[in-house]
Amino acid sequence: GAKETTRQQRFLAHHALPERVVHGVDAATASQAAGTPLDAPGLDYPQAGWVRPDRLCRQLAASPGITLRRGEAHDLDFDADADAWRIALTDGSTLTADHVVVATAHETPRFTPLAGLPLKPIRGQLTHVPVPADAPSLARVVCAGGYVAPAMEGVLSLGATFAPGDTDTAVRTTDHARNLDEFTATLPAFAEALRAAGVTLDPAACEGRASLRAASHALYEAGAEEVRVWALARTLEGSHR
């Protein structure tokens, strides 16, 4: 709508980024880039793409110089004298590292140095729609109130719901319905083309998954010797996708 268009124009005016990174497009140009009719202008990220996170992680873990160590972290602490983090595992062993990335969503505060980090859980459910190989396809990921990515291996992925405070990860038909409603409202022509190709946009026939995001609207500083923790909190500020 008009409000979103104004927000995007303000973003472009205040962020002098190269056009190869992001630039504004009218509805006709956006439609051509996406491969389906769109009725609003938007932002185009020419170099953007999409990945299968599980496959990307496996590929990175198999890269030269990477050692994969499996285990469950019990706690972590920062040794100022050694300028290093110590990660205690539940099997009694300890790992040492100069940098640690904590990717445990809303459960991050269970680690002692991060106990005061003001995070809240936000449930999000993706919907997977089976599509035949000859079905219409998008050329780009399209994001609006939700998002939809080009089909991969016969599955169209779209979503995602946004439910603050909900920690249930069971897949719900009602959330599939919300995702499909958002999808058909954003891309009505594409949804109709899929139906014409025999694709069933029925919430009861969809599969998917639900996971939890972590969000914070506050900055948190753990102390001068743990400035990296503050940096982590800052990256989470206002995050919700």
Side-chain angles (χ1 to χ4, degrees), residues 69-71 73 75-77 84-89 92-97 100:
R69 171 76 179 272
R70 295 183 180 275
D75 205 350
L76 62 91
D77 66 90
W85 289 94
R86 291 197 300 263
I87 304 98
L89 303 183
S93 61
T94 301
L95 301 178
T96 302
V100 176

PDB file of all heavy atoms in Angstrom, residues 69-71 73 75-77 84-89 92-97 100:
ATOM      1  N   ARG A  69      32.275 -30.724  15.399  1.00  0.00           N
ATOM      2  CA  ARG A  69      32.238 -31.397  16.716  1.00  0.00           C
ATOM      3  C   ARG A  69      30.793 -31.364  17.200  1.00  0.00           C
ATOM      4  O   ARG A  69      30.214 -30.292  17.391  1.00  0.00           O
ATOM      5  CB  ARG A  69      33.149 -30.654  17.686  1.00  0.00           C
ATOM      6  CG  ARG A  69      33.036 -31.109  19.142  1.00  0.00           C
ATOM      7  CD  ARG A  69      33.737 -32.429  19.376  1.00  0.00           C
ATOM      8  NE  ARG A  69      33.627 -32.825  20.785  1.00  0.00           N
ATOM      9  CZ  ARG A  69      34.489 -32.468  21.736  1.00  0.00           C
ATOM     10  NH1 ARG A  69      35.534 -31.712  21.419  1.00  0.00           N
ATOM     11  NH2 ARG A  69      34.314 -32.865  22.971  1.00  0.00           N
ATOM     12  N   ARG A  70      30.184 -32.509  17.381  1.00  0.00           N
ATOM     13  CA  ARG A  70      28.801 -32.578  17.835  1.00  0.00           C
ATOM     14  C   ARG A  70      28.751 -32.714  19.361  1.00  0.00           C
ATOM     15  O   ARG A  70      29.578 -33.391  19.958  1.00  0.00           O
ATOM     16  CB  ARG A  70      28.076 -33.757  17.181  1.00  0.00           C
ATOM     17  CG  ARG A  70      27.920 -33.623  15.673  1.00  0.00           C
ATOM     18  CD  ARG A  70      27.127 -34.784  15.103  1.00  0.00           C
ATOM     19  NE  ARG A  70      26.958 -34.677  13.674  1.00  0.00           N
ATOM     20  CZ  ARG A  70      26.005 -33.994  13.063  1.00  0.00           C
ATOM     21  NH1 ARG A  70      25.109 -33.338  13.803  1.00  0.00           N
ATOM     22  NH2 ARG A  70      25.916 -33.948  11.753  1.00  0.00           N
ATOM     23  N   GLY A  71      27.796 -32.089  19.955  1.00  0.00           N
ATOM     24  CA  GLY A  71      27.633 -32.169  21.393  1.00  0.00           C
ATOM     25  C   GLY A  71      26.608 -31.145  21.849  1.00  0.00           C
ATOM     26  O   GLY A  71      26.204 -30.270  21.083  1.00  0.00           O
ATOM     27  N   ALA A  73      25.815 -28.101  24.370  1.00  0.00           N
ATOM     28  CA  ALA A  73      26.458 -27.116  25.244  1.00  0.00           C
ATOM     29  C   ALA A  73      25.646 -26.947  26.518  1.00  0.00           C
ATOM     30  O   ALA A  73      24.435 -26.730  26.484  1.00  0.00           O
ATOM     31  CB  ALA A  73      26.595 -25.792  24.522  1.00  0.00           C
ATOM     32  N   ASP A  75      26.894 -24.801  29.205  1.00  0.00           N
ATOM     33  CA  ASP A  75      27.058 -23.400  29.574  1.00  0.00           C
ATOM     34  C   ASP A  75      28.326 -22.883  28.907  1.00  0.00           C
ATOM     35  O   ASP A  75      29.091 -23.649  28.306  1.00  0.00           O
ATOM     36  CB  ASP A  75      27.158 -23.238  31.094  1.00  0.00           C
ATOM     37  CG  ASP A  75      26.722 -21.843  31.556  1.00  0.00           C
ATOM     38  OD1 ASP A  75      26.525 -20.963  30.692  1.00  0.00           O
ATOM     39  OD2 ASP A  75      26.575 -21.647  32.777  1.00  0.00           O
ATOM     40  N   LEU A  76      28.529 -21.573  29.003  1.00  0.00           N
ATOM     41  CA  LEU A  76      29.756 -20.988  28.481  1.00  0.00           C
ATOM     42  C   LEU A  76      30.160 -19.838  29.389  1.00  0.00           C
ATOM     43  O   LEU A  76      29.326 -19.240  30.077  1.00  0.00           O
ATOM     44  CB  LEU A  76      29.586 -20.536  27.034  1.00  0.00           C
ATOM     45  CG  LEU A  76      28.556 -19.457  26.702  1.00  0.00           C
ATOM     46  CD1 LEU A  76      29.190 -18.079  26.747  1.00  0.00           C
ATOM     47  CD2 LEU A  76      27.969 -19.696  25.314  1.00  0.00           C
ATOM     48  N   ASP A  77      31.467 -19.536  29.376  1.00  0.00           N
ATOM     49  CA  ASP A  77      31.947 -18.390  30.142  1.00  0.00           C
ATOM     50  C   ASP A  77      33.162 -17.816  29.434  1.00  0.00           C
ATOM     51  O   ASP A  77      33.812 -18.492  28.622  1.00  0.00           O
ATOM     52  CB  ASP A  77      32.295 -18.780  31.587  1.00  0.00           C
ATOM     53  CG  ASP A  77      33.478 -19.723  31.659  1.00  0.00           C
ATOM     54  OD1 ASP A  77      34.614 -19.230  31.750  1.00  0.00           O
ATOM     55  OD2 ASP A  77      33.272 -20.956  31.601  1.00  0.00           O
ATOM     56  N   ALA A  84      39.483 -15.765  25.857  1.00  0.00           N
ATOM     57  CA  ALA A  84      38.851 -16.861  25.124  1.00  0.00           C
ATOM     58  C   ALA A  84      37.561 -17.280  25.825  1.00  0.00           C
ATOM     59  O   ALA A  84      37.369 -17.065  27.022  1.00  0.00           O
ATOM     60  CB  ALA A  84      39.795 -18.050  25.023  1.00  0.00           C
ATOM     61  N   TRP A  85      36.683 -17.880  25.045  1.00  0.00           N
ATOM     62  CA  TRP A  85      35.443 -18.449  25.569  1.00  0.00           C
ATOM     63  C   TRP A  85      35.656 -19.923  25.862  1.00  0.00           C
ATOM     64  O   TRP A  85      36.343 -20.632  25.128  1.00  0.00           O
ATOM     65  CB  TRP A  85      34.317 -18.296  24.541  1.00  0.00           C
ATOM     66  CG  TRP A  85      33.836 -16.891  24.354  1.00  0.00           C
ATOM     67  CD1 TRP A  85      34.261 -16.003  23.420  1.00  0.00           C
ATOM     68  CD2 TRP A  85      32.835 -16.231  25.122  1.00  0.00           C
ATOM     69  NE1 TRP A  85      33.589 -14.821  23.549  1.00  0.00           N
ATOM     70  CE2 TRP A  85      32.701 -14.923  24.578  1.00  0.00           C
ATOM     71  CE3 TRP A  85      32.042 -16.600  26.202  1.00  0.00           C
ATOM     72  CZ2 TRP A  85      31.809 -13.996  25.097  1.00  0.00           C
ATOM     73  CZ3 TRP A  85      31.145 -15.677  26.716  1.00  0.00           C
ATOM     74  CH2 TRP A  85      31.038 -14.393  26.176  1.00  0.00           C
ATOM     75  N   ARG A  86      35.038 -20.388  26.935  1.00  0.00           N
ATOM     76  CA  ARG A  86      35.038 -21.806  27.271  1.00  0.00           C
ATOM     77  C   ARG A  86      33.594 -22.300  27.199  1.00  0.00           C
ATOM     78  O   ARG A  86      32.701 -21.736  27.843  1.00  0.00           O
ATOM     79  CB  ARG A  86      35.607 -22.038  28.668  1.00  0.00           C
ATOM     80  CG  ARG A  86      37.094 -21.765  28.800  1.00  0.00           C
ATOM     81  CD  ARG A  86      37.632 -22.406  30.078  1.00  0.00           C
ATOM     82  NE  ARG A  86      36.941 -21.860  31.242  1.00  0.00           N
ATOM     83  CZ  ARG A  86      37.417 -20.875  32.000  1.00  0.00           C
ATOM     84  NH1 ARG A  86      38.575 -20.314  31.692  1.00  0.00           N
ATOM     85  NH2 ARG A  86      36.728 -20.441  33.051  1.00  0.00           N
ATOM     86  N   ILE A  87      33.388 -23.357  26.406  1.00  0.00           N
ATOM     87  CA  ILE A  87      32.056 -23.940  26.247  1.00  0.00           C
ATOM     88  C   ILE A  87      32.044 -25.292  26.940  1.00  0.00           C
ATOM     89  O   ILE A  87      32.772 -26.218  26.544  1.00  0.00           O
ATOM     90  CB  ILE A  87      31.685 -24.104  24.758  1.00  0.00           C
ATOM     91  CG1 ILE A  87      31.790 -22.785  24.021  1.00  0.00           C
ATOM     92  CG2 ILE A  87      30.279 -24.678  24.628  1.00  0.00           C
ATOM     93  CD1 ILE A  87      33.079 -22.597  23.271  1.00  0.00           C
ATOM     94  N   ALA A  88      31.234 -25.412  27.982  1.00  0.00           N
ATOM     95  CA  ALA A  88      31.124 -26.674  28.720  1.00  0.00           C
ATOM     96  C   ALA A  88      30.044 -27.537  28.078  1.00  0.00           C
ATOM     97  O   ALA A  88      28.908 -27.091  27.899  1.00  0.00           O
ATOM     98  CB  ALA A  88      30.777 -26.394  30.175  1.00  0.00           C
ATOM     99  N   LEU A  89      30.402 -28.765  27.717  1.00  0.00           N
ATOM    100  CA  LEU A  89      29.461 -29.698  27.116  1.00  0.00           C
ATOM    101  C   LEU A  89      28.894 -30.638  28.172  1.00  0.00           C
ATOM    102  O   LEU A  89      29.492 -30.855  29.224  1.00  0.00           O
ATOM    103  CB  LEU A  89      30.144 -30.499  26.004  1.00  0.00           C
ATOM    104  CG  LEU A  89      30.787 -29.690  24.876  1.00  0.00           C
ATOM    105  CD1 LEU A  89      31.347 -30.633  23.813  1.00  0.00           C
ATOM    106  CD2 LEU A  89      29.805 -28.712  24.262  1.00  0.00           C
ATOM    107  N   GLY A  92      30.863 -33.490  29.810  1.00  0.00           N
ATOM    108  CA  GLY A  92      31.965 -33.177  30.712  1.00  0.00           C
ATOM    109  C   GLY A  92      33.170 -32.554  30.033  1.00  0.00           C
ATOM    110  O   GLY A  92      34.079 -32.059  30.717  1.00  0.00           O
ATOM    111  N   SER A  93      33.210 -32.557  28.707  1.00  0.00           N
ATOM    112  CA  SER A  93      34.341 -31.966  27.993  1.00  0.00           C
ATOM    113  C   SER A  93      34.144 -30.467  27.826  1.00  0.00           C
ATOM    114  O   SER A  93      33.053 -29.930  28.039  1.00  0.00           O
ATOM    115  CB  SER A  93      34.521 -32.643  26.633  1.00  0.00           C
ATOM    116  OG  SER A  93      33.357 -32.455  25.836  1.00  0.00           O
ATOM    117  N   THR A  94      35.220 -29.792  27.436  1.00  0.00           N
ATOM    118  CA  THR A  94      35.191 -28.335  27.279  1.00  0.00           C
ATOM    119  C   THR A  94      35.833 -27.946  25.959  1.00  0.00           C
ATOM    120  O   THR A  94      36.877 -28.488  25.570  1.00  0.00           O
ATOM    121  CB  THR A  94      35.939 -27.643  28.431  1.00  0.00           C
ATOM    122  OG1 THR A  94      35.328 -27.995  29.674  1.00  0.00           O
ATOM    123  CG2 THR A  94      35.890 -26.128  28.264  1.00  0.00           C
ATOM    124  N   LEU A  95      35.218 -27.004  25.273  1.00  0.00           N
ATOM    125  CA  LEU A  95      35.780 -26.442  24.051  1.00  0.00           C
ATOM    126  C   LEU A  95      36.226 -25.012  24.337  1.00  0.00           C
ATOM    127  O   LEU A  95      35.641 -24.320  25.173  1.00  0.00           O
ATOM    128  CB  LEU A  95      34.747 -26.430  22.924  1.00  0.00           C
ATOM    129  CG  LEU A  95      34.151 -27.776  22.507  1.00  0.00           C
ATOM    130  CD1 LEU A  95      33.101 -27.557  21.414  1.00  0.00           C
ATOM    131  CD2 LEU A  95      35.227 -28.724  22.027  1.00  0.00           C
ATOM    132  N   THR A  96      37.267 -24.566  23.643  1.00  0.00           N
ATOM    133  CA  THR A  96      37.781 -23.211  23.803  1.00  0.00           C
ATOM    134  C   THR A  96      37.789 -22.521  22.448  1.00  0.00           C
ATOM    135  O   THR A  96      38.159 -23.125  21.440  1.00  0.00           O
ATOM    136  CB  THR A  96      39.203 -23.225  24.381  1.00  0.00           C
ATOM    137  OG1 THR A  96      39.188 -23.915  25.633  1.00  0.00           O
ATOM    138  CG2 THR A  96      39.714 -21.812  24.597  1.00  0.00           C
ATOM    139  N   ALA A  97      37.370 -21.257  22.428  1.00  0.00           N
ATOM    140  CA  ALA A  97      37.311 -20.517  21.167  1.00  0.00           C
ATOM    141  C   ALA A  97      37.453 -19.026  21.431  1.00  0.00           C
ATOM    142  O   ALA A  97      37.091 -18.538  22.511  1.00  0.00           O
ATOM    143  CB  ALA A  97      35.993 -20.792  20.458  1.00  0.00           C
ATOM    144  N   VAL A 100      32.413 -17.076  19.661  1.00  0.00           N
ATOM    145  CA  VAL A 100      31.327 -18.043  19.765  1.00  0.00           C
ATOM    146  C   VAL A 100      30.066 -17.415  19.171  1.00  0.00           C
ATOM    147  O   VAL A 100      29.710 -16.286  19.509  1.00  0.00           O
ATOM    148  CB  VAL A 100      31.047 -18.444  21.232  1.00  0.00           C
ATOM    149  CG1 VAL A 100      29.838 -19.369  21.308  1.00  0.00           C
ATOM    150  CG2 VAL A 100      32.272 -19.118  21.836  1.00  0.00           C
TER     151      VAL A 100
END
